[in-house]
Amino acid sequence: SSFAASPGVASSFAVRREAAAPPAAVSFAGSARSPAAGPVSLAGSAGLPAAVGSHDEMFALREHIAELDHELSQRDAVIDDMKKTIADMRTTLEKALLSPQESGLWKDRYYDAQKQNEARTRAMKELEITCQTKDKESSS
């Protein structure tokens, strides 16, 4: 199951990501917001529950984290599949690159064997001729 092949999951991720984005009024560590300004409330923000600090909010956030974790697991699985595919392709490519070198070795072996065969064939014909002449001499 490919994560990229399921557009519904990708689009829902984008919607959740937009919904989870903090409002512009909220600032984080390193900002110029004064601690005396009091706690930041996310109540009424898009995609977040209205009751800040409630069990419902914690449940919703945990559920959202679980969904994100599931999506990340799916993406990790896809990445692992892609890494395996890449490794297989590299192995195939390395074999293809070695193939001409190996074929050259086999070609050389073939020509050497062919030369040896021709030499043995000549030697065999010479022995046959020698044998035939000796047979003729002995029979006469």
Side-chain angles (χ1 to χ4, degrees), residues 107-125:
K107 184 178 178 181
D108 292 343
R109 289 180 183 174
Y110 171 79
Y111 285 129
D112 289 342
Q114 188 177 13
K115 288 178 186 176
Q116 288 175 355
N117 186 32
E118 289 172 359
R120 288 182 183 146
T121 303
R122 272 186 254 125
M124 202 164 107
K125 283 183 183 179

Side-chain angles (χ1 to χ4, degrees), residues 4 41 44 88 120:
S41 173
D88 292 345
R120 288 182 183 146

Side-chain angles (χ1 to χ4, degrees), residues 41-98:
S41 173
L42 296 178
S45 298
L48 295 176
V52 176
S54 71
H55 292 289
D56 292 338
E57 179 185 14
M58 287 176 39
F59 178 76
L61 290 173
R62 285 182 181 158
E63 187 177 277
H64 184 70
I65 289 171
E67 290 172 3
L68 291 176
D69 186 50
H70 178 71
E71 289 175 15
L72 288 175
S73 297
Q74 286 179 335
R75 287 185 179 195
D76 285 345
V78 170
I79 288 170
D80 289 342
D81 289 344
M82 288 180 176
K83 284 181 181 179
K84 184 183 180 307
T85 302
I86 288 171
D88 292 345
M89 292 173 85
R90 281 187 179 157
T91 302
T92 304
L93 179 61
E94 288 171 1
K95 286 181 183 178
L97 292 174
L98 290 175

